[in-house]
Amino acid sequence: MTAPIPLAGGSAAQGSLYERIGPQVLHDLVTRFYTLVPQDELLRALFPADLSETARKQEAFLTGFLGGPPLYFQQYGPPRLRARHMPFAIAPAQARAWLGCMRRAMQATPGLHPDDATEMYQALEKVAAHMVNSA
Ligand code: HEM
């Protein structure tokens, strides 16, 4: 991937997913997600102990990905996510674990409408599959 893919439009709901979800709920979701990551055995081995910078980058990425301002691009340049994930062995099991943490984080985030969560999750499933680089 060379640039954030805005997901705006395409559904009956008004505005981009970012506008519907809002920055505060997105922040809460990302924070919750990175409290779950170190609790997962498969993921713990891949991520640094201090996840604060990772969380900042993810929040910036998702802001643009969901149709908001392209914060990741502005702060860090082209995401090139698949290339950035190449140093880490990501098999289908790790992708499932990542998505599992995201699903649980979504379920535990107050204020995230289930329809918005479903739409976001379905988009993330595609990106996660694209990150798989090992058997
Ligand atoms: C498929 C399972 C995935 C695994 C196992 C995984 C793992 C990782 C790891 C280990 C890092 C480096 C953390 C660090 O050193 O700070 C990382 C960074 C990152 N990941 Fe993932 N990831 C996955 C899926 C995704 C998906 C689906 C997205 C986007 C929706 C994503 C977005 C990012 C971003 C934005 C960064 C920061 C890149 C940077 O360093 O600038 N990842 N991921």
Side-chain angles (χ1 to χ4, degrees):
M1 179 186 306
T2 54
I5 301 172
L7 293 167
S11 80
Q14 290 292 305
S16 67
L17 257 182
Y18 177 76
E19 283 164 4
R20 281 180 267 144
I21 292 171
Q24 185 60 57
V25 171
L26 181 62
H27 176 78
D28 293 349
L29 172 67
V30 170
T31 303
R32 197 161 276 108
F33 175 75
Y34 285 107
T35 64
L36 295 175
V37 161
Q39 296 174 35
D40 184 287
E41 250 174 66
L42 287 177
L43 298 180
R44 194 188 312 135
L46 299 178
F47 282 85
D50 181 354
L51 288 166
S52 48
E53 180 68 9
T54 315
R56 250 194 309 279
K57 287 177 163 177
Q58 183 64 275
E59 189 175 329
F61 177 79
L62 289 174
T63 296
F65 180 74
L66 298 172
L71 300 182
Y72 184 97
F73 200 94
Q74 288 165 355
Q75 292 166 28
Y76 309 105
R80 300 183 305 109
L81 275 194
R82 189 171 154 80
R84 285 190 203 257
H85 286 74
M86 274 301 174
F88 313 101
I90 303 178
Q94 277 75 17
R96 277 196 299 274
W98 192 101
L99 288 166
C101 287
M102 183 55 75
R103 184 183 288 280
R104 288 195 295 284
M106 284 174 163
Q107 286 164 347
T109 299
L112 181 60
H113 192 284
D115 290 349
D116 294 337
T118 300
E119 193 176 333
M120 180 174 171
Y121 185 85
Q122 286 171 352
L124 291 176
E125 274 184 313
K126 294 186 189 126
V127 185
H130 185 60
M131 294 306 138
V132 172
N133 55 24
S134 131

